């Protein structure tokens, strides 16, 4: 197997746990590795229906298909044997998912051995810097797995970011007509386009009803754009009907509009077009950072509230003394020590929006200095391949 990056093959295994987050990250990574680095990528996914929602080109009933240059394989019951020539040069298990045992056995028969990476979850905790790229020997086979952590410092893998992303964002945000055209496709009126626009993407347990009440009782006209299926009960109660795409209602200062679930490029444009974004999990969380807009993160819940520790670690880096942003984020994630509320927290947050907007731009530039994750990952993988190739047979 050649070490030329343009002849590299890569297998990425993804089990969908957090609905759109897992496959969202894997699909972005797969596309970027292929289009920007010439890697032959095979993406193994266990839930094609969820994948189809963020990439409509995906056929939900195909075992093998080609989408945007990436080979997509339905990962369901592949428990048999694999031949060594079926193994990719680089093998990535996403979030520590257990790849087929037969595939691992075939990896051990390859010479040189493939690069085996465990792509971990994103966290701002300090311990990540010490664990990034650490090796782990297989207990039985002559294989070594390395941990690869995305992150917010130069001592981690960085964040996913396509080469053209910043130029595309800047051009879109500088073009009022392009933004208006994009938003009008979802039925927004000129008045709604001119209002304060918020995108809302959160988990079902977020205090959405309380936020809606604070908004509709406020003095500023707000248009809230919610993807279909998100906060369904609260949306249904507000519009007094099915929370389906196209539903819209105005109560007080708040207009709520339900959007169809959009493919990833249009979701980026939605983040770019809004004045404030509520995001969740990991994929939309990262995209909000590249959008250079103020945002609040709804973190994926974990047992024993471990996610609250991760949230605080991020806020310590990002909020940077902006107490209103930190306080509202803790309230939104039910992580505050006090009895915070949307009625108190939103006006305080709103008063700090110019400062938060400047911080968003500063943070985006800071993250860009760490390089992009795909390039950092390939650079590390090539260094391991070089080492593997020098080992005696």
């Amino acid at each position: 197997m050649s070490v030329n990056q343009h002849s590299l093959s890569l297998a990425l295994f993804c089990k969908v746990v957090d609905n759109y987050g897992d496959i969202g990250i894997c699909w972005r990574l797969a596309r970027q590795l292929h289009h920007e680095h010439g890697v032959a990528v095979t993406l193994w996914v266990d839930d094609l229906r969820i994948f189809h929602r963020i990439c409509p080109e995906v056929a939900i009933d195909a075992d093998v298909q080609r989408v945007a240059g990436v080979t997509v394989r339905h990962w369901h019951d592949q428990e048999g044997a694999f031949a060594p020539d079926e193994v990719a040069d680089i093998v990535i298990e996403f979030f520590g998912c257990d790849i087929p045992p037969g595939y691992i056995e075939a990896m051990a028969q390859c010479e040189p051995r493939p690069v085996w990476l465990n792509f971990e979850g994103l966290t701002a905790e300090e311990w990540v810097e010490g664990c990034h790229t650490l090796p782990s020997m297989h207990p039985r086979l002559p294989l070594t797995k390395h941990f690869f952590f995305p992150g917010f410092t130069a001592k981690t893998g960085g964040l996913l970011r396509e080469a053209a992303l910043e130029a595309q964002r800047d051009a879109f945000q500088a073009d009022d007509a392009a933004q208006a055209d994009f938003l009008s496709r979802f039925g927004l009126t000129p008045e709604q386009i001119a209002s304060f626009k918020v995108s809302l993407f959160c988990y079902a347990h977020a205090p959405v009803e309380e936020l809606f009440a604070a908004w509709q009782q406020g003095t500023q006209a707000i248009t809230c754009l919610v993807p279909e299926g998100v906060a369904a009960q609260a949306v249904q109660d507000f519009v007094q009907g099915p929370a389906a795409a196209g539903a819209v209602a105005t109560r007080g200062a708040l207009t709520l509009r339900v959007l169809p679930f959009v493919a990833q490029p249009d979701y980026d444009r939605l983040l770019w077009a809004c004045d404030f974004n509520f995001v969740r999990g990991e994929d939309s969380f990262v995209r909000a950072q590249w959008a250079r807009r103020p945002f609040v993160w709804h973190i994926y819940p974990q047992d024993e509230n471990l996610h609250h520790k991760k949230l605080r670690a991020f806020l310590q880096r990002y909020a940077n003394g902006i107490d209103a942003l930190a306080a509202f984020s803790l309230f939104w994630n039910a992580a505050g020590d006090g009895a915070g509320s949307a009625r108190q927290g939103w006006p305080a947050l709103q008063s700090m929006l110019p400062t938060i907007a400047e911080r968003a731009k500063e943070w985006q530039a800071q993250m860009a200095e760490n390089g992009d994750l795909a390039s950092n990952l390939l650079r590390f993988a090539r260094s391991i391949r070089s080492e593997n190739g020098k080992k005696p047979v």
Side-chain angles (χ1 to χ4, degrees):
M1 291 182 286
S2 168
V3 295
N4 185 315
Q5 78 176 81
H6 293 291
S7 66
L8 283 176
S9 60
L10 182 145
L12 174 55
F13 289 84
C14 173
K15 285 191 175 179
V16 177
V17 178
D18 178 23
N19 286 329
Y20 313 105
D22 309 273
I23 184 56
I25 296 166
C26 288
W27 182 228
R28 291 188 195 279
L29 177 60
R31 289 203 318 270
Q32 187 178 359
L33 287 170
H34 175 68
H35 291 292
E36 295 184 16
H37 299 279
V39 178
V41 180
T42 298
L43 176 58
W44 294 76
V45 186
D46 67 337
D47 192 332
L48 294 178
R49 291 183 180 274
I50 293 294
F51 192 2
H52 173 79
R53 294 205 72 187
I54 65 167
C55 180
E57 295 83 3
V58 170
I60 63 175
D61 56 353
D63 283 336
V64 183
Q65 56 190 301
R66 188 92 163 165
V67 184
V70 174
T71 299
V72 176
R73 298 197 60 169
H74 187 197
W75 180 14
H76 42 90
D77 57 357
Q78 291 89 350
E79 298 299 333
F82 286 80
D85 62 4
E86 295 180 89
V87 173
D89 300 320
I90 304 170
V91 179
I92 300 177
E93 55 183 48
F94 189 72
F95 283 8
C97 61
D98 295 323
I99 63 181
Y103 198 96
I104 297 176
E105 294 285 347
M107 288 165 60
Q109 300 173 39
C110 294
E111 196 61 51
R113 305 283 188 258
V115 177
W116 186 6
L117 302 179
N118 183 352
F119 190 113
E120 289 284 356
L122 175 62
T123 179
E125 295 167 289
E126 291 185 3
W127 62 263
V128 167
E129 293 185 343
C131 295
H132 178 56
T133 72
L134 279 182
S136 175
M137 300 291 292
H138 193 280
R140 180 174 56 86
L141 299 171
L143 293 169
T144 300
K145 180 193 306 183
H146 289 82
F147 295 93
F148 195 91
F149 283 85
F152 304 101
T153 74
K155 295 181 180 179
T156 67
L159 301 175
L160 274 173
R161 172 175 54 89
E162 300 84 359
L165 182 67
E166 293 182 63
Q168 292 170 348
R169 178 204 62 211
D170 291 349
F172 183 80
Q173 290 183 338
D175 190 339
D176 291 341
Q179 294 180 59
D181 179 68
F182 173 76
L183 293 169
S184 65
R185 285 164 41 193
F186 301 109
L188 272 72
T189 65
E191 292 75 20
Q192 292 164 4
I193 293 172
S195 70
F196 188 86
K197 297 174 293 298
V198 180
S199 74
L200 178 62
F201 192 38
C202 61
Y203 297 109
H205 59 280
V208 176
E209 297 89 345
E210 189 176 341
L211 182 60
F212 285 174
W215 281 344
Q216 69 183 86
Q217 294 165 13
T219 57
Q220 181 182 35
I222 292 178
T223 299
C224 179
L225 307 174
V226 188
E228 187 175 23
V230 173
Q233 188 59 56
V235 172
Q236 180 175 309
D237 291 345
F238 188 90
V239 302
Q240 296 185 341
V248 60
T250 299
R251 298 182 183 282
L254 173 62
T255 295
L256 180 65
R257 182 176 289 276
V258 182
L259 306 186
F261 217 90
V262 297
Q264 285 183 331
D266 276 345
Y267 183 68
D268 278 328
R269 294 183 186 96
L270 178 64
L271 295 175
W272 300 343
C274 286
D275 302 292
F276 198 98
N277 296 301
F278 285 82
V279 291
R280 77 180 199 190
E282 183 171 326
D283 183 50
S284 61
F285 171 47
V286 171
R287 304 314 282 191
Q289 293 172 59
W290 295 130
R292 291 199 313 183
R293 296 290 199 222
F295 70 91
V296 164
W297 179 31
H298 202 204
I299 190 170
Y300 186 76
Q302 293 180 293
D303 293 338
E304 300 179 359
N305 287 331
L306 291 178
H307 57 299
H308 289 168
K309 183 178 181 181
K310 293 182 178 181
L311 173 66
R312 286 188 169 92
F314 174 72
L315 290 173
Q316 186 174 5
R317 294 182 185 273
Y318 183 79
N320 198 32
I322 307 175
D323 294 341
L325 175 59
F328 190 91
S329 298
L330 294 172
F331 153 73
W332 189 244
N333 286 275
D337 297 325
S341 69
R343 183 171 296 181
Q344 295 173 333
W346 179 257
L349 184 70
Q350 198 172 28
S351 69
M352 294 298 295
L353 279 178
T355 300
I356 298 171
E358 284 303 311
R359 176 55 179 157
K361 295 176 182 178
E362 177 186 272
W363 177 262
Q364 184 269 323
Q366 183 181 333
M367 291 303 99
E369 291 177 357
N370 297 329
D372 73 277
L373 186 145
S375 297
N376 293 339
L377 185 149
L378 276 185
R379 188 177 303 110
F380 175 69
R382 287 198 297 271
S383 72
I384 298 300
R385 277 176 58 77
S386 180
E387 292 177 12
N388 289 350
K390 293 175 183 176
K391 294 178 180 178
V393 178

